[in-house]
Amino acid sequence: MTKFDFIKDYFSNAEPKVGIVLGSGLNNLLDSIDIEKTLSYSDIPGFPQSTVPGHEGSFVLGKSGNVQILAAKGRFHFYEGYDLETVLSIMKSFYAVGIKEVIITNAAGLMDRKHKPGDILLIKNCIDMTNQASVLKAGTAVIGESERNLAFKAAEVSNVKLGEGIYVWTTGPSYETPSEIEYFTSLGGDLVGMSTMPEIMWAREHKMNVYPFSCATNWASGIANQPLTHEEVNETAQHVRKDLTRYILTLCKLIGD
Ligand code: HPA
């Protein structure tokens, strides 16, 4: 039995409509749903394990209104030393349980000066600075027209300001230099981060509808005159978390309608 068969069996009585990948600091979304069942990554034979103590990952099945959701708490990045196969484990799990709608969230550095840290942006396209995504089939639009329309409708309904931008994917683990950020900006990038692009590409290749969002947590390297204080960053994150949770739950409802 593969790890994905195991997950499929475990949730065999469920029919989650939406899969959600929770980015850094966004686990509080789970406080707002009725949790039905959880599955720790460590209880799945052969599933990758989080290397960070106290941050062990899990799948959480729950309901928001009439919509059944499967959320993944904890994800895998290249900068942790994982290969592409491992990085894609969560998408493959969603696929195994029959999920067709995927919401992906992340924290990202902001390059687009039309926005500000604290803003939420829909990822409309990606630039691969890792030379890793080339193993995935290219040529697909990152986000479909109807998903984009629904994303902006959810913003209106939940009264959350939603921007959109192009996400530049780097492997990390280090943040960028100011010159790299200037270069990414000249290529048309608006956001920079170390996740999400491979998940988007794989999901699109497998005919899933994808709703990818960045929470702009900071100005990218070299843009701000002076670094934000820790308190300011925390305050911003706290504010965005509340908005993003309300937004995501509204989007789930619209997807379910
Ligand atoms: N760069 C890369 N990844 C990030 C950043 C950043 O500035 N902020 C959050 N994730």
Side-chain angles (χ1 to χ4, degrees):
M1 188 188 254
T2 70
K3 53 196 174 221
F4 302 116
D5 289 335
F6 183 93
I7 296 163
K8 192 176 162 197
D9 271 15
Y10 187 85
F11 292 114
S12 60
N13 292 328
E15 261 186 87
K17 174 93 181 158
V18 186
I20 307 180
V21 181
L22 298 168
S24 319
L26 298 169
N27 289 342
N28 74 316
L29 186 120
L30 299 172
D31 299 339
S32 314
I33 65 171
D34 297 322
I35 295 175
E36 295 168 332
K37 219 173 174 187
T38 62
L39 174 60
S40 172
Y41 296 166
S42 60
D43 290 332
I44 308 167
F47 205 77
Q49 306 303 323
S50 173
T51 53
V52 190
H55 284 258
E56 76 283 3
S58 56
F59 288 107
V60 179
L61 180 77
K63 249 189 167 166
S64 172
N66 291 326
V67 186
Q68 198 171 38
I69 291 163
L70 186 61
K73 198 174 104 178
R75 69 183 342 158
F76 308 100
H77 304 87
F78 270 116
Y79 64 75
E80 295 171 277
Y82 298 118
D83 60 8
L84 190 63
E85 180 65 24
T86 304
V87 168
L88 293 170
S89 302
I90 290 164
M91 272 318 108
K92 293 185 177 187
S93 305
F94 286 165
Y95 188 75
V97 302
I99 287 172
K100 297 253 163 35
E101 313 277 345
V102 184
I103 297 172
I104 308 176
T105 62
N106 66 41
L110 183 63
M111 297 186 281
D112 176 7
R113 287 159 171 88
K114 290 194 301 299
H115 290 95
K116 58 182 192 323
D119 285 356
I120 301 165
L121 282 84
L122 177 69
I123 297 173
K124 65 176 174 184
N125 219 320
C126 298
I127 296 173
D128 175 16
M129 295 306 293
T130 72
N131 301 316
Q132 304 277 348
S134 55
V135 303
L136 302 164
K137 197 190 289 173
T140 322
V142 160
I143 173 159
E145 189 60 28
S146 58
E147 290 92 275
R148 182 179 177 276
N149 290 343
L150 209 61
F152 279 99
K153 187 173 171 197
E156 217 178 285
V157 172
S158 60
N159 195 26
V160 164
K161 194 176 134 235
L162 180 68
E164 66 183 329
I166 294 173
Y167 179 87
V168 178
W169 180 40
T170 66
T171 51
S174 56
Y175 288 127
E176 303 70 32
T177 66
S179 295
E180 284 165 346
I181 292 302
E182 266 179 43
Y183 174 52
F184 297 168
T185 303
S186 77
L187 296 174
D190 301 308
L191 297 152
V192 59
M194 307 174 194
S195 65
T196 306
M197 185 181 178
E199 286 106 317
I200 294 174
M201 299 302 283
W202 193 88
R204 293 293 285 165
E205 193 188 341
H206 290 81
K207 308 275 183 272
M208 297 158 109
N209 292 332
V210 191
Y211 303 83
F213 300 97
S214 282
C215 173
T217 49
N218 56 283
W219 282 117
S221 175
I223 294 184
N225 292 331
Q226 58 191 66
L228 285 167
T229 66
H230 188 57
E231 284 72 26
E232 275 177 296
V233 171
N234 273 348
E235 249 170 56
T236 312
Q238 203 57 44
H239 174 72
V240 182
R241 271 205 282 273
K242 265 190 6 214
D243 276 3
L244 191 58
T245 296
R246 192 171 79 249
Y247 173 74
I248 299 285
L249 295 175
T250 305
L251 179 59
C252 286
K253 182 176 179 306
L254 294 181
I255 292 172
D257 281 350

